[in-house]
Amino acid sequence: MALLSLENVSKAYAGIPALRGVDLAIAPGEIHALMGENGAGKSTLIKILAGVVAPDTATIRIDDVPVTIDNPAAAHRHGLRFIHQELSVVPALSVAENIMMGRPYPRRLGALVDWRALNAMARKALETLGITHIDPRKKLAHLSIGDRMLVKISSAFLAGETPARLYVMDEPTAALTREESERLFAVLREIKAAGNSVLYVSHRIDEVMSLCHRATVLRDGRPIDSGELANITHDDLVALMIGRKVTEAYPPAQAAPTKDPVLQRPDLTVRKGEIIGIAGLAGAGQTELLRQIFGNPQKAWKAGIAYVPKERRSEGLVTSRPIYQNITLPHLQAQSLGGTWLTPRRERQFATRLGEDVRLRAAGPSQLVSELSGGNQQKVVFAKALGGVPRLLLLDEPTRGVDVGAKFDIYAIIRDMTAKGMAVLLASSDLPELLGMADRIAIMRDGRIATIVDAKGLTEEALLNLCYGRSAVAA
Ligand SMILES: Nc1ncnc2c1ncn2[C@@H]1O[C@H](COP(=O)(O)OP(=O)(O)OP(=O)(O)O)[C@@H](O)[C@H]1O
Ligand SMILES: [Mg+2]
């Protein structure tokens, strides 16, 4: 008997189908992966299950009994818990208030909020994940994006009036470090051992293959296949998702970097055509370094410095605006759009071309960014950065949430542009990405560049050791 089954789930937005007749079943104690490229319909399916989006058609059964889920409270009552892709947190409230959001607060004398009890409940929820470094009284605004994610995840583990049966997680590890991800996986294994289930979305294929039992693959809103992960290879799974063979190989550099410096600082010189990786443990100062170099946005864009920030929604995008305006925003001088007059038509053409380069999946250049899937929003940030043909490109975790197919296309674009002289600073917690793309890697510790090493011949292990401040040779 399935714990949860979905039958014939369909949904169209303004006539454009996002889901077409999707079926999915999850057994008790199963971790089920939901896979597909950016825009395939994963988050839409999850929002339907959460009672956030109304489907056009859907039959939902829990323990084989048909149920109606038309609001989040109903989903909660049925034992469903959600960690959505886009964080719905309130930065002005405390960690504890965010964890308790939508739940009744503990009260004293039936009226006054019992803050002590509230904070204790929040602390307990955090401890489920082994988190002790986050103070429940702290305002969320003061937390890093990774810590905010941990707060959000913890709230799913808070005990409710009805027992939890199924945890639905939409890219929970996108903003987490390795250690934090490992802690989450340990909790997932406990959930499984207790006979409860997980529906899991991630673009990290290896993570899915080691964590999940079965997968359902969506392409273009259609259910393509579903089965046990033990019976499929990594490459075949990717081919199912993307619908074509993808070579997951980092494109080689086309030429050696030149000697001409693009950026010179006491601690770092970046040369034309060079890619410098920035590595370090979480919070070692990577984001601050890039922000410092970027400085004043208006001046920076003018000087040919482009920036793909880590926090795409708050820093990289105006989601209430159409795609093309987001892409052309920093390039609103006609010359940089390659013509004489800046007309909306030219703006849209410019945006369409860049969108194609990064495999943006959208109804058209005038679609609002808020209507795009998470990964496609990230591609808009990318297209915007590449638009002015920058001299120096600053990238902070640029491929987070981007599907494997588009990811390797983006690497190829970066290579083409460096061959033409663009220099790149690439901050990433994805070690293969750093080793595959960078010429040299700057290791940051305690807010400073501790050392710069050649990427050639470096192993993941050696790089990790350097991040921890251990010697690269000692294993
Ligand atoms: N509010 C909306 N209005 C119009 N179209 C929408 C809306 N929300 C989603 N869509 C469209 O539905 C499709 C599926 O989006 P969805 O967010 O489910 O993709 P996804 O599989 O979660 O992708 P990602 O991996 O990038 O998160 C996309 O084409 C998207 O543009
Ligand atoms: Mg999504």
Side-chain angles (χ1 to χ4, degrees):
M1 187 169 75
L3 189 153
L4 171 88
S5 73
L6 299 172
E7 234 171 76
N8 191 29
V9 183
S10 297
K11 170 76 187 175
Y13 288 104
I16 303 173
L19 290 172
R20 325 183 203 211
V22 175
D23 297 336
L24 189 152
I26 306 173
E30 179 188 344
I31 304 184
H32 193 105
L34 180 59
M35 312 196 70
E37 60 187 332
N38 296 133
K42 304 177 297 293
S43 297
T44 304
L45 188 80
I46 286 172
K47 286 180 199 159
I48 288 171
L49 192 56
V52 176
V53 162
D56 298 333
T57 65
T59 306
I60 305 176
R61 289 192 181 84
I62 292 178
D63 300 329
D64 285 344
V65 180
V67 296
T68 308
I69 298 178
D70 49 12
N71 61 68
H76 196 267
R77 258 198 322 278
H78 286 297
L80 311 183
R81 302 288 183 271
F82 294 86
I83 297 161
H84 289 292
Q85 183 174 18
E86 298 305 342
L87 287 174
S88 51
V89 293
V90 185
L93 294 181
S94 73
V95 167
E97 286 169 299
N98 272 283
I99 289 180
M100 297 293 292
M101 212 187 305
R103 316 278 186 90
Y105 280 14
R107 291 182 187 276
R108 275 184 303 143
L109 310 170
L112 298 170
V113 173
D114 186 345
W115 293 104
R116 192 186 287 264
L118 182 90
N119 290 332
M121 286 169 83
R123 196 167 286 123
K124 208 161 152 221
L126 285 164
E127 274 166 13
T128 325
L129 282 171
I131 301 161
T132 48
H133 71 282
I134 300 177
D135 183 345
R137 292 165 302 181
K138 217 170 174 177
K139 284 230 183 342
L140 217 76
H142 301 310
L143 263 53
S144 72
I145 188 115
D147 281 352
R148 288 182 198 195
M149 193 69 208
L150 291 174
V151 167
K152 204 62 204 166
I153 295 175
S154 307
S155 78
F157 295 122
L158 196 71
E161 298 100 83
T162 52
R165 304 278 314 276
L166 172 73
Y167 295 87
V168 182
M169 306 190 175
D170 198 347
E171 294 194 50
T173 55
L176 300 188
T177 64
R178 270 168 189 246
E179 296 78 20
E180 289 162 349
S181 301
E182 285 302 328
R183 262 183 259 149
L184 175 66
F185 300 155
V187 176
L188 296 190
R189 294 196 180 97
E190 283 172 31
I191 291 173
K192 176 173 83 174
N196 293 324
S197 310
V198 179
L199 181 60
Y200 192 81
V201 174
S202 170
H203 286 294
R204 299 180 182 172
I205 317 285
D206 294 329
E207 180 178 294
V208 164
M209 306 250 338
S210 72
L211 197 65
C212 306
H213 305 110
R214 292 194 310 135
T216 295
V217 177
L218 302 180
R219 196 194 309 154
D220 222 359
R222 288 192 185 85
I224 292 296
D225 206 351
S226 149
E228 288 190 22
L229 284 162
N231 300 334
I232 191 167
T233 64
H234 174 119
D235 289 358
D236 287 345
L237 185 60
V238 170
L240 271 185
M241 286 169 54
I242 313 285
R244 61 187 163 95
K245 270 250 175 288
V246 177
T247 358
E248 285 178 70
Y250 292 90
Q254 297 164 18
T258 65
K259 294 257 179 284
D260 317 335
V262 173
L263 174 78
Q264 262 178 314
R265 300 163 40 107
D267 56 350
L268 181 68
T269 301
V270 191
R271 302 186 180 87
K272 256 181 128 169
E274 187 174 35
I275 302 179
I276 299 215
I278 304 187
L281 300 179
Q286 301 92 317
T287 297
E288 291 73 13
L289 177 72
L290 294 185
R291 279 208 189 122
Q292 199 185 69
I293 294 170
F294 190 57
N296 173 315
Q298 234 170 347
K299 279 194 194 150
W301 287 107
K302 245 188 212 146
I305 302 176
Y307 181 33
V308 173
K310 185 149 84 175
E311 301 191 29
R312 62 171 176 246
R313 280 176 80 88
S314 58
E315 287 180 41
L317 293 168
V318 187
T319 54
S320 58
R321 296 263 176 177
I323 293 167
Y324 78 89
Q325 285 183 3
N326 273 276
I327 293 181
T328 57
L329 191 69
H331 314 298
L332 285 185
Q333 276 165 321
Q335 294 87 339
S336 56
L337 295 196
T340 45
W341 290 103
L342 181 74
T343 59
R345 188 163 152 262
R346 166 162 262 131
E347 266 190 81
R348 279 195 293 268
Q349 280 174 348
F350 176 82
T352 304
R353 181 176 58 75
L354 283 161
E356 280 166 5
D357 285 350
V358 297
R359 285 187 191 264
L360 179 66
R361 220 198 95 123
S366 301
Q367 190 173 18
L368 299 182
V369 168
S370 60
E371 296 176 356
L372 294 180
S373 77
N376 281 302
Q377 292 184 353
Q378 181 68 4
K379 293 179 197 168
V380 172
V381 183
F382 232 99
K384 165 180 158 184
L386 295 177
V389 191
R391 288 186 314 123
L392 176 62
L393 179 61
L394 309 173
L395 303 173
D396 200 353
E397 304 285 354
T399 55
R400 192 176 262 186
V402 173
D403 67 57
V404 277
K407 202 163 136 170
F408 285 86
D409 288 341
I410 287 176
Y411 296 142
I413 297 171
I414 293 176
R415 280 284 188 232
D416 282 345
M417 294 181 73
T418 50
K420 291 180 194 136
M422 180 179 76
V424 180
L425 280 178
L426 166 64
S428 177
S429 51
D430 184 341
L431 302 185
E433 177 174 278
L434 284 177
L435 294 169
M437 291 300 291
D439 298 298
R440 293 186 294 151
I441 300 179
I443 318 285
M444 296 199 69
R445 287 197 289 264
D446 302 324
R448 231 173 283 150
I449 295 178
T451 175
I452 300 179
V453 293
D454 243 314
K456 208 170 171 184
L458 202 64
T459 62
E460 271 188 55
E461 197 188 2
L463 179 54
L464 202 59
N465 277 334
L466 283 168
C467 295
Y468 277 106
R470 298 191 289 249
S471 124
V473 278

